[in-house]
Amino acid sequence: TAGSLDTSYVVNGSAKAWLHQNTDASLDDSFNTSSTADQGTGNYRTTFTNAFTNNFQAVPSTCAQNNDAVVYNNGRATTRIDLKLEEGGSAVDRKCAASVHGDLA
């Protein structure tokens, strides 16, 4: 009917995990994120509360503090993602936010 929406669009189109973290890997807020860890300058590991079915998640990310900083998805597994932050080709610690899209196990 008019105004109705098939729930599969909502389920398939919603982020299954997201986070907003500080430079020390502490979380400001998150969903389906059990922990974050500082793996060295510009490298962060996020562990999920609930695992994904495979390693093919889409992970759009962004950095705060400087428009020139970029976030790379530096590794994925069903239980975690690794993010690498760079500015001008060098690793930097920045606040960052990421959402994770995929199918939960």
Side-chain angles (χ1 to χ4, degrees), residues 6-101:
D6 183 347
T7 57
S8 66
Y9 287 107
V10 176
V11 171
N12 291 326
S14 299
K16 303 307 186 301
W18 57 265
L19 65 114
H20 187 276
Q21 77 177 33
N22 292 299
T23 58
D24 64 356
S26 64
L27 291 168
D28 287 327
D29 203 356
S30 67
F31 173 72
N32 193 25
T33 302
S34 63
S35 65
T36 59
D38 190 340
Q39 303 286 99
T41 303
N43 290 294
Y44 300 97
R45 174 165 287 172
T46 299
T47 303
F48 303 125
T49 304
N50 299 292
F52 285 76
T53 57
N54 56 48
N55 299 344
F56 305 118
Q57 310 94 340
V59 187
S61 310
T62 187
C63 287
Q65 299 171 313
N66 191 320
N67 292 333
D68 296 329
V70 294
V71 183
Y72 296 100
N73 186 342
N74 203 34
R76 292 177 284 207
T78 59
T79 58
R80 65 167 173 78
I81 55 170
D82 294 334
L83 300 176
K84 181 175 184 178
L85 287 64
E86 290 186 356
E87 185 176 331
S90 298
V92 293
D93 288 330
R94 296 281 189 260
K95 288 185 175 189
C96 71
S99 60
V100 186
H101 298 264

